[in-house]
Amino acid sequence: MTALWLGVLLLAGVAAAMAPSGQDEDLSMPGTESQKAFDLLDERFPQSNSQGAEARLVFQAPDGQRVTAAENKAAVERTLGSLKEGEQVASITDPYETGAVSKDGTIAYSTITYTADAVDLTGPTKSSLEDAAGKARDAGLTVEIGGSALDSDEEPGGTTEIIGVVVAGVVLVLALGSLVAAGLSLLTAFLGVAIGFGLISALAVPLGLTSTVAILALMLGLAVGIDYALFITSRFRDERAQGSEPEEAAGRAAGTAGSAVVFAGATVFIALVGLGVVGIPELTKMGLAGAGAVALAVLVALTLVPALLGFFGRRVLSRAVRKAGRPGNERTAAGRPGLGTRWARFVLRRPVTVLLIAGLGLGAVALPALSLELGLPGDESKSVETTQRRAYDLLSEGFGPGFNGPLTVVVDMSKSPDPQAAADRVVTTVRGVDGIASVGDPVLNRAKDTAVLTAVPKTAPTSGETKDLVHALRGAVSGAESGTGADILVTGTTALNIDISEAMSDALVPYLTVVIGLAVILLMVVFRSVLVPVKAALGFLLSVGAAFGVVVAVFQWGWAADLIGIEQTGPVMSLMPILIIGIVFGLAMDYEVFLVSRMREAHVHGASPGEAIVGGFRHSGRVVAAAAIIMTSVFTGFIGMSNPTIQTMGVGLASAVAFDAFVVRMAIAPAVLALLGRRAWWLPRSLNRVLPNVDIEGEALSRHVPAAVTVPDAAAPRLPVDWR
């Protein structure tokens, strides 16, 4: 088995090495008005690229001077002249001919359009742009570069993810007490991640997979890979503590903890694949890549981990157990119950108090989520150290805040009896909309059947007023359609961002409903209970709400933003809520399954409700806590990257996992189960006959393999064991 996986790793590495490197693509959403307009522009203006790269060279004269002064004007013209011979340059505007000079004469700009998208611009093209700006600076001007031309230069990077892995390794050693066991979990996780990363790299070009897709797969694969290996290893050690031989213990671990891993991985897989229903290609790719990474982690955990456990035998046990010369029971020290047991008994004594404190605490953390604003931040959200942000500020200063987010009105006049009259009426209509600062003259294509005009808002691209303006503008131009016979579409980067954000908001509740419904059904199958799944779903809502509260507090309100390198606050990226929900759903079910399955196992074997809760924590509490710390550490490690998408995911996922594991599953869940008592495991007979039996407790396995003699645990409650 080990040789087989090494062979797969080799093939994936060779495929990745031979494949061309992938490139990021523009975010799009088929079916929206903005995307329809872009598609129409590509059809009617084939000589141009509606979503091609664009750069704005912004010039500012020295203090007390004007850019219209002879010396400064000559410097600007020399700068622009040096760009005209570029292979990918489509057009360059002269600010003095187009009137692109501020009213006070201190700021001017030139727009350079390219024949290729930003991701396809060559190194020499970008270098010539930066060299031209440098020449103008040498002449005494302040020059900054805005637009999309330099966006692809921002590669996500950082070293904090290594710290997360180091923390995970330390936690594994402390939790397992064995370097071999800890190394085995890390090694198998890295193997799965390496194979997944190799496959994504090999498929990057044919499938259009971006760097963000690859990093998400890396993040998820590493986190769940370590956790799944830890769960199976821990169950193996428990079976060895019961006196089983290595091969038998590995089989039992695969049959019990392995079943839980399959279910937990399936929930993550389904939730991530379900992201495709939203209709955004980039989100679909992220979901599929993440689901593939999780599927690989499950396969590695089910096949390679048991094989290695059987091979290493006693070496995966803790040093103290190996010295004792027999498997032994390592859950207690000097007869004292473990921390998990003591905590479970504390919750059983005060379930109402624990439930109120934990529930109200998470509710308070979730309150900022009520102010959640979605958007696709642009140059205004970048660091003030970047030239794009400084160009944005200069343009806002010289031409108004709305200048950085112009709206494009596309008029399809192919069915209009009088195209010119139609274009003139649209211009008049747009100029009459409140909130429009200026409207440019319409530009016609060669066939004279399509006109394009630019409308500049008075407000900034990400402001609520601009969002209202887009809706008002679309309402106004729809009235002009009936009288002219033309089809009128409002687009532009600002309008596209607004359309995507609204689509995300509209899809949030339906997606959340589907995810919760799926959680209830799957958990009902596993735990043969109605109330346990409902409790799990409500806990999931609490942890997700609290995670959104943290994201809003950090990325919108700026709380602790300096600690993670966030210099500019703004709307939360539109993709984040649905993406976080999809990922956290599966991860939350991980801890629910691994903790409650041991309670269910004890209940099936005759334990009382209280004994079942204590037994679940005694067997799985420490492991679930270690797994949560590992996963939180891995996600936190990605916060240090420069990519805002990855930073937001890191904060959201790390906080969600911490809240779900330590508050929902460790406090709220046992408190609710304690209050419910035996009613927690109630299932109507009709459902019991219909639902399939997944046997996550391993009863069928126990009937075929005789149980080993259990070493008594003096500190643990006496649970009757019935292997039947």
Side-chain angles (χ1 to χ4, degrees), residues 50 91 367 437 535:
S50 64
S91 65
L367 282 178
K535 177 267 304 175

Side-chain angles (χ1 to χ4, degrees), residues 659-673:
F659 290 139
D660 194 85
F662 294 108
V663 182
V664 173
R665 309 303 159 190
M666 293 284 189
I668 293 178
V672 172
L673 291 176

Side-chain angles (χ1 to χ4, degrees), residues 193-251:
V193 167
I195 293 173
F197 206 76
L199 293 176
I200 289 175
S201 300
L203 298 173
V205 172
L207 298 183
L209 304 181
T210 65
S211 59
T212 302
V213 171
I215 292 174
L216 174 63
L218 171 65
M219 183 190 302
L220 276 176
L222 191 58
V224 300
I226 295 174
D227 277 5
Y228 293 165
L230 171 62
F231 288 130
I232 292 179
T233 302
S234 177
R235 186 59 187 248
F236 171 83
R237 286 153 59 96
D238 282 348
E239 295 297 335
R240 290 283 286 141
Q242 301 290 335
S244 299
E245 294 300 318
E247 292 79 6
E248 180 185 337

Side-chain angles (χ1 to χ4, degrees), residues 61-80:
D63 291 342
Q65 299 184 27
R66 294 174 178 266
V67 290
T68 52
E71 183 178 348
N72 293 330
K73 182 177 180 180
V76 170
E77 291 177 342
R78 285 195 304 270
T79 300
L80 300 179

